Amino acid sequence: MATTFDYSGKVAFVTGAGSGIGRSTALAFARAGAEVAIADIDAERLEETASLIAATGSKVQVLPTDVSDAAQVERAVMATVETFGRLDVAFNNAATFDPHATVDAVELEAWNRVIAVNLSGVFHCLKYQAAVMLAQGGGAIVNAGSVASEIASLGLTAYTASKHAVVGLTKKAALDYATRGIRVNAVLPGAIDTPMAAEFSGGTDEGRAAMVALEPMGRLGNPEEIADVVLWLGSDAASFVTGHAVAVDGGWLAR
C-alpha cells in the first residue's frame, strides 16, 4: 500500500472480501492496525483472505454472508460488534454483474440478482451499520460504486442501474447522518485488475487488452489503489468529506 494510515484500535468491516478490491482493502485495514471483520458469499476465498490478514498479526473475523439477505447482513454486523465491541469503518464492496444485453433482452432472474446484491446489499449494510454507529457516536462508511455509476457501462443493464443507484443512496445516507457523526461516501473504480474484471473480459488476452484500451492511463488499476482511497475516506484525513463519489479510474470519466 502506497499510503500509510493508522487504524490502531479501530474495527473495520468489509464485504466482498474474498478476492479483488475487497481482499486488498481488508488487508490494507489490517496492515494499518485495524481489527477486521470480513464477509463474502464464497467461504473458501474468505478463508484465504483471513489467512493473509492473520499473517499481518491483526485479528480477523470470518463471516460467510450473502448481502442480498438482510437477515444475514444483520447477523454479520451484530457478530462484528459482539466480537470486537464496536464498528468504526465499513466498506460495502460486494457486487456482481449481469450478462451483456439490451434492456429488452435482459433476463428477469439476472436483473433481480444484480439489484439484490449490488443495491439492496448496500442498503442492508448501511441500515445495520448506521444503527451501530449511531449508538456508539459515529463512524465512516464507504460504498463501492463504479465508473458505471456515472455512465452506461458496456451493455450491463442491471449493473449500470444498480451502480447509479448506489451513489444516490450514498448521498441520501450522508445527509441523514451529516450532523450525527457518520460520514458516508462512495468510491468509483475504473477497470481494475481483479478476478471479477477477468470474468467480465472473458478471461482472454483480447478481452484484457480491450479493457486496457478504455483506460486513458493505458493500464488497469491495482486493487491496492482503490484500497488507498477507501482507507483515506474512512480516516480522519477525510473528516469534512461526506456524500461524495470519488472516481479512481485512470481518467475514464474525464473523456
Side-chain angles (χ1 to χ4, degrees), residues 95-98 111 114-115 118 145-149 153 156-164 189 196:
T96 188
F97 63 89
D98 48 317
W111 170 272
V114 171
I115 297 299
N118 294 10
S146 164
V147 288
S149 295
S153 181
L156 302 181
T157 302
Y159 185 84
T160 297
S162 67
K163 291 300 187 178
H164 271 65
M196 185 173 176

Side-chain angles (χ1 to χ4, degrees), residues 190-205:
I192 308 300
D193 194 2
T194 66
M196 185 173 176
E199 183 182 355
F200 171 79
S201 66
T204 66
D205 290 342

Side-chain angles (χ1 to χ4, degrees), residues 2-149:
T3 307
T4 301
F5 296 94
D6 185 3
Y7 275 86
S8 300
K10 302 290 187 181
V11 176
F13 178 97
V14 179
T15 69
S19 64
I21 292 169
R23 174 178 286 181
S24 292
T25 304
L27 274 168
F29 276 124
R31 289 169 179 148
E35 298 174 319
V36 188
I38 55 173
D40 199 287
I41 197 170
D42 189 323
E44 184 175 347
R45 286 186 172 182
L46 201 59
E47 289 292 348
E48 293 171 358
T49 301
S51 295
L52 294 170
I53 291 173
T56 72
S58 288
K59 294 180 180 177
V60 59
Q61 183 177 26
V62 176
L63 300 164
T65 305
D66 180 350
V67 297
S68 71
D69 184 332
Q72 290 190 43
V73 174
E74 182 179 20
R75 284 196 296 271
V77 172
M78 292 303 104
T80 300
V81 177
E82 288 168 7
T83 298
F84 297 122
R86 58 185 299 108
L87 174 59
D88 298 290
V89 59
F91 180 38
N92 300 322
N93 167 72
T96 188
F97 63 89
D98 48 317
H100 291 251
T102 56
V103 172
D104 63 291
V106 173
E107 296 289 340
L108 291 178
E109 182 179 358
W111 170 272
N112 289 335
R113 180 59 182 165
V114 171
I115 297 299
V117 173
N118 294 10
L119 178 56
S120 295
V122 171
F123 167 71
H124 297 153
C125 289
L126 277 169
K127 176 178 174 63
Y128 297 112
Q129 292 158 0
V132 168
M133 291 177 180
L134 285 170
Q136 71 185 20
I141 299 171
V142 182
N143 298 321
S146 164
V147 288
S149 295

Side-chain angles (χ1 to χ4, degrees), residues 173-227:
L175 294 180
D176 282 349
Y177 307 120
T179 62
R180 305 176 74 182
I182 303 172
R183 295 183 300 103
V184 187
N185 292 288
V187 63
L188 311 184
I192 308 300
D193 194 2
T194 66
M196 185 173 176
E199 183 182 355
F200 171 79
S201 66
T204 66
D205 290 342
E206 292 79 6
R208 182 184 176 89
M211 292 185 70
V212 171
L214 292 170
E215 284 290 359
M217 290 184 72
R219 66 172 177 87
L220 299 183
N222 298 314
E224 293 80 8
E225 291 174 305
I226 307 302

